[in-house]
Amino acid sequence: MGKVAVGVTVICAATVCAAAALIVRHRMKSSGRWARAMAILREFEDKCGTSLGKLRQVADAMTVEMHAGLASEGGSKLKMLISFVDNLPSGDEHGLFYALDLGGTNFRVLRVQLGGREQRVIKQEFVEVSIPQPLMVGCSDDLFDFIAAELAKFVATEGDGFHLAPGRQRELGFTFSFPVKQASIASGTLLNWTKGFSIEDAVGQDVVAELTKAIERKGVDMRVAALVNDTIGTLAGGRYFNNDVVAAVILGTGTNAAYVERAHAIPKWHGLLPKSGEMVINMEWGNFRSSHLPLTEYDHSLDLESLNVGDQIFEKIISGMYLGDIVRRVLLKMAEDAAFFGDIVPAKLRIPFVLRTPEMSAMHHDTSSDLRVVGAKLKDILGVTNTSLNTRRAVFEVCNIVARRGARLSAAGIYGILKKLGRDIVKEGEKQQKTVIAMDGGLFEHYKKFSQCLEDSLKELLGDEAAESVIVEHANDGSGIGAALLAASHSQYPELEDAVQET
């Protein structure tokens, strides 16, 4: 019996030792995996670095590209498009004006009654209309006839509070967010469709002329006074309420910037200088590129898999369309190379754009002690369950790195515009000029950590003294009302307007 007992004891001891060895090996394996995952995270953080010196280099490069784009067509990755908007709203505008905002599968029609400097916007109304899918791939006349018919219905509902001055034709601002080559304030040739539209007979046509013919076919007496994009609409809306607005930046699904330039500082402008001495420039800054941008392997892979390889590089690292997918790509690398989510890589993690920026924002704004929002999002979106707190903390950190880089680079872009305008420093002996940047877009509006980081970074770049005179201001729905305001500031009735104000 003694020998049996000893044997059993030896066997049990060996079993315990083997189990302990397995546990140690498992822990060592887990420890090794975690170390690899953290190494990937730290390398990503380093390559996304946006030191103050780096941001100044990016801003300087932005300013250089702005000069090059203004000097000649094709002289820069920045198109620096002349908008033909040389009269921004002043606040003195009176009367009834319409706007049409066409930029996707829905369009909006809006009207405003303006009451001059004292009353400003007396009343406004709008309707939103969904475009039937067949019209998005049909012919030009069908699309514009549909839009004009909805516009006619809206005009017919003009009620109390809206008054068209006697002898006046209704005037409309047209926000058209597709690529056009503009020839004047109220004409522009469609270069190509995006966003699911494919109407071949409209390409190469003047979209204002197409809309005007459709409006006439519907029997509506209305003139298209201005053709603009959403960024210029935001600039106009901002300037109407605040005369210190000099630039507008959209940070939403995509991104762009527009600003007010001195007309004599545009070498490629060959026409007569406008009376105002100013011209709004549509930068198309999403296409900005510089060797100083902190790009990573994840940005390069995203670009290579995109529909516009090599283009819109700035947009691909700062805008809402892409931030969530950069996070996904980093997590995928950690899952593949370091078994970050266990031995099996979650299948959904391989799906491009499965992790959207709103979900990234929700994780980044998780303030719970156990990061339960991060855990819930990983489960709902990627099918990853039972994550550890350390895993959730690492995911939170990836979101933070991506958002911080995007926000700080956006601030550097704005600082580049301020440098171009000479508003980045306080000049000795001169009174400080107030400078307002009108901001719009869902990313800026809803991703609070992003927008706060942007504002903090801009202050850091400017320094305390100059930062006192620079204000970043949210201009909600600036592009909608902005188009109507541009119709007012480019009205065909300036003499009548003067007469109204004199009486």
Side-chain angles (χ1 to χ4, degrees), residues 359-374:
E359 276 75 43
M360 168 193 168
S361 173
M363 291 193 290
H364 194 190
H365 288 94
D366 188 356
T367 56
S368 61
S369 58
D370 58 351
L371 294 177
R372 67 176 70 98
V373 175
V374 175

Side-chain angles (χ1 to χ4, degrees), residues 2-199:
K3 288 181 180 179
V4 172
V6 169
V8 170
T9 302
V10 169
I11 291 167
C12 287
T15 304
V16 168
C17 287
L22 279 171
I23 290 168
V24 169
R25 274 202 300 272
H26 176 72
R27 283 179 179 169
M28 287 177 67
K29 187 178 177 184
S30 296
S31 175
R33 287 173 172 179
W34 184 256
R36 284 201 302 278
M38 290 304 96
I40 292 167
L41 181 58
R42 293 284 79 87
E43 182 187 17
F44 178 60
E45 183 178 35
D46 288 344
K47 291 193 173 174
C48 285
T50 50
S51 65
L52 190 59
K54 170 70 76 176
L55 294 182
R56 291 194 189 283
Q57 288 176 322
V58 171
D60 288 343
M62 179 71 79
T63 306
V64 167
E65 290 298 315
M66 289 172 73
H67 278 285
L70 290 173
S72 62
E73 294 295 345
S76 165
K77 277 280 188 182
L78 292 179
K79 291 195 175 89
M80 302 300 285
L81 300 173
I82 294 168
S83 69
F84 297 90
V85 172
D86 56 4
N87 275 319
L88 283 167
S90 64
D92 291 323
E93 293 80 10
H94 288 73
L96 170 63
F97 296 92
Y98 278 76
L100 167 64
D101 188 348
L102 174 61
T105 53
N106 296 339
F107 68 88
R108 283 191 310 157
V109 186
L110 174 142
R111 59 175 157 245
V112 293
Q113 187 74 38
L114 304 177
R117 199 166 288 277
E118 295 301 317
Q119 295 178 290
R120 298 283 173 158
V121 177
I122 297 170
K123 190 174 182 180
Q124 72 178 77
E125 293 177 342
F126 76 90
V127 292
E128 189 159 328
V129 182
S130 182
I131 300 173
Q133 206 281 329
L135 293 182
M136 295 169 62
V137 292
C139 71
S140 180
D141 282 356
D142 289 347
L143 174 66
F144 284 104
D145 279 349
F146 177 77
I147 293 169
E150 294 298 327
L151 181 58
K153 282 186 209 171
F154 187 61
V155 170
T157 64
E158 237 174 59
D160 292 342
F162 294 101
H163 309 288
L164 186 68
R168 292 188 70 156
Q169 185 183 27
R170 287 178 181 83
E171 294 180 293
L172 174 136
F174 185 14
T175 302
F176 186 74
S177 298
F178 298 92
V180 295
K181 182 169 178 56
Q182 209 151 339
S184 71
I185 185 62
S187 65
T189 303
L190 175 63
L191 298 176
N192 60 275
W193 289 103
T194 57
K195 307 172 193 176
F197 284 78
S198 181
I199 303 169

Side-chain angles (χ1 to χ4, degrees), residues 265-277:
I266 311 172
K268 69 181 179 182
W269 173 258
H270 300 303
L272 291 171
L273 290 178
K275 289 178 185 176
S276 67

